[in-house]
Amino acid sequence: MKGVSMVLKRYGDQYIAKHGTRMTAQQKKVLRAVMACREDSLGTIQYACSGCGEVTHVPRSCCNRHCPACQHQRQQQWLASVQENLLPCQYFLITFTLPAGLREFAMAHPKVLYVAMMSAAAQALQQAATNPRHVGVSETGFTSVLHTWGRDLGYHPHVHVVVPAGGIDAGGVWQSSRASVFVPEQILERLFRGKLKDKLRSESYFDSIPDDVWKGRFVVDSEAVGSGEFAVAYLAPYVMRGAVANRRVTQCDESISLEEASLTLQVKRSGTRQYKPMQMRVEEFIRRWLQHVLPAGFHRVRHYGFANARSKRSLEEVRWLVAVSLERQYELACSQQIVMAEPVAMQCPNCGGPMINLGYTPATTPLPQPARAPP
């Protein structure tokens, strides 16, 4: 075990003992799950070699969506599924950022603010796209992903939207947007601000939000990203994994004390692919990491319009409309032969022979559960 997982396993109990009263039940649950990942406390799976008879016990993974050591296979499956559904046209990556004046309220009421952010961003895009001066379409389809952290794990909520460069007009014809911009950023910023404000009016804390917040910038960034494949690949790690990968924590003190321990976090330089080391106290690192634990049941990925599985218009039909409009060749396979690949058997560490799964053995001592609030 290495990196983030090692830090949380080594110092998680000390952090809970010191800050547990200020942690949410969901934060405690996620932290304990990651601490138990691939430990005997989650139970083990037994394998026996069909050749030499060697028995191997493999600790179970936690499968938590915030765990830096889990979800790789699901991440690849999600990436393949979304890339397969991309249309044969150009795409934009549009980012809606929550201003600093609202982040305190987002930390206190994350589920309400996150839902409002994603809904306001989607409605702003859909409304702006109907304007004939921009795209002039009645149907759009796009995928939104909530992202809550910056390069140094600071709290920085924003929504990434991967949107095709066009939509379907009232006559059922695909209309392309301009190649340089889907909708001007200033238009989206104004719409996003207004819709987010309307969605928060009914909240009890709305009057405590400073008026200056609604007069300031709501940064919206739009970037052309070609076919969309690289944009989706960029977002995939944030969909099925926590705020930071294991490999970014390259050094951690062996100190026993939480207050004295420090680590080195690799932080990407702005505008480059290079990383620079950043020294940070372990206590501060865990605090920042926990800021990005999502509320229970919240979905950070949402599909809108014809990108949604419940849309009355199939993606196959939309692909045809795009191909006809852009005068591109599009081939529809009338029949497909599905070939099931043989599962790869686990190999024996001694003789290399195939291992047989003997079953799962639950842990004798269950994980502690966070106390529930009184009714």
Side-chain angles (χ1 to χ4, degrees), residues 15-16 19-29 31 290:
Y15 191 92
I16 293 175
H19 301 286
T21 56
R22 293 189 293 272
M23 296 170 62
T24 66
Q26 180 68 358
Q27 288 175 332
K28 292 179 183 178
K29 180 179 179 180
L31 180 54
L290 287 172

Side-chain angles (χ1 to χ4, degrees), residues 179-214:
S180 59
V181 62
F182 183 73
V183 173
E185 296 171 352
Q186 298 87 343
I187 303 297
L188 291 175
E189 178 182 352
R190 186 171 66 248
L191 288 171
F192 177 54
R193 180 197 297 115
K195 292 185 179 300
L196 183 59
K197 184 177 182 179
D198 289 341
K199 293 180 182 300
L200 297 180
R201 284 187 190 278
S202 60
E203 300 299 327
S204 59
Y205 53 82
F206 179 80
D207 291 337
S208 61
I209 299 176
D211 291 337
D212 291 344
V213 171
W214 306 113

Side-chain angles (χ1 to χ4, degrees), residues 52-81:
C52 66
E54 176 73 15
V55 177
T56 302
H57 299 266
V58 180
R60 193 174 70 103
S61 62
C62 67
C63 297
N64 191 282
R65 59 176 170 172
H66 300 87
C67 181
C70 290
Q71 308 296 324
H72 176 73
Q73 184 176 359
R74 288 188 62 192
Q75 172 187 318
Q76 296 303 311
Q77 291 173 345
W78 181 87
L79 175 60
S81 173

Side-chain angles (χ1 to χ4, degrees), residues 87-314:
L87 302 176
C89 65
Q90 299 301 301
Y91 274 79
F92 289 95
L93 178 63
I94 303 177
T95 305
F96 298 81
T97 303
L98 193 71
L102 281 175
R103 292 173 194 172
E104 177 183 348
F105 299 92
M107 293 182 69
H109 312 277
K111 193 165 188 177
V112 173
L113 263 294
Y114 295 163
V115 170
M117 276 182 65
M118 299 191 77
S119 178
Q123 291 179 11
L125 264 178
Q126 290 168 333
Q127 180 176 329
T130 61
N131 192 324
R133 296 177 58 187
H134 307 311
V135 191
V137 295
S138 57
E139 293 183 58
T140 56
F142 47 85
T143 296
S144 298
V145 178
L146 177 71
H147 190 182
T148 61
W149 55 89
R151 294 182 178 87
D152 61 353
L153 284 187
Y155 191 63
H156 183 64
H158 50 284
V159 178
H160 291 297
V161 182
V162 181
V163 56
I168 303 171
D169 64 16
V173 178
W174 179 267
Q175 299 290 345
S176 296
S177 69
R178 284 172 285 181
S180 59
V181 62
F182 183 73
V183 173
E185 296 171 352
Q186 298 87 343
I187 303 297
L188 291 175
E189 178 182 352
R190 186 171 66 248
L191 288 171
F192 177 54
R193 180 197 297 115
K195 292 185 179 300
L196 183 59
K197 184 177 182 179
D198 289 341
K199 293 180 182 300
L200 297 180
R201 284 187 190 278
S202 60
E203 300 299 327
S204 59
Y205 53 82
F206 179 80
D207 291 337
S208 61
I209 299 176
D211 291 337
D212 291 344
V213 171
W214 306 113
K215 299 176 184 178
R217 289 288 313 277
F218 277 62
V219 178
V220 176
D221 178 74
S222 178
E223 179 183 359
V225 290
S227 64
E229 292 185 0
F230 289 108
V232 174
Y234 164 75
L235 296 177
Y238 306 121
V239 173
M240 299 294 179
R241 195 181 62 197
V244 59
N246 269 325
R247 58 182 173 78
R248 288 183 56 197
V249 174
T250 56
Q251 185 177 355
C252 181
D253 293 342
E254 296 292 336
S255 173
I256 298 177
S257 170
L258 172 68
E259 292 79 5
E260 298 176 358
S262 62
L263 54 77
T264 300
L265 177 67
Q266 297 298 323
V267 179
K268 185 177 290 187
R269 295 174 180 269
S270 179
T272 70
R273 295 184 179 181
Q274 296 181 343
Y275 286 86
K276 63 177 181 179
M278 177 181 177
Q279 298 297 316
M280 186 182 298
R281 290 287 184 184
V282 166
E283 189 171 5
E284 173 63 13
F285 174 82
I286 298 178
R287 185 194 71 81
R288 294 190 187 189
W289 186 84
L290 287 172
Q291 289 181 134
H292 310 296
V293 170
L294 295 174
F298 179 82
H299 297 281
R300 72 161 77 241
V301 181
R302 306 196 177 194
H303 305 280
Y304 297 89
F306 51 69
N308 191 295
R310 296 181 179 179
S311 171
K312 295 181 179 180
R313 192 185 296 272
S314 70

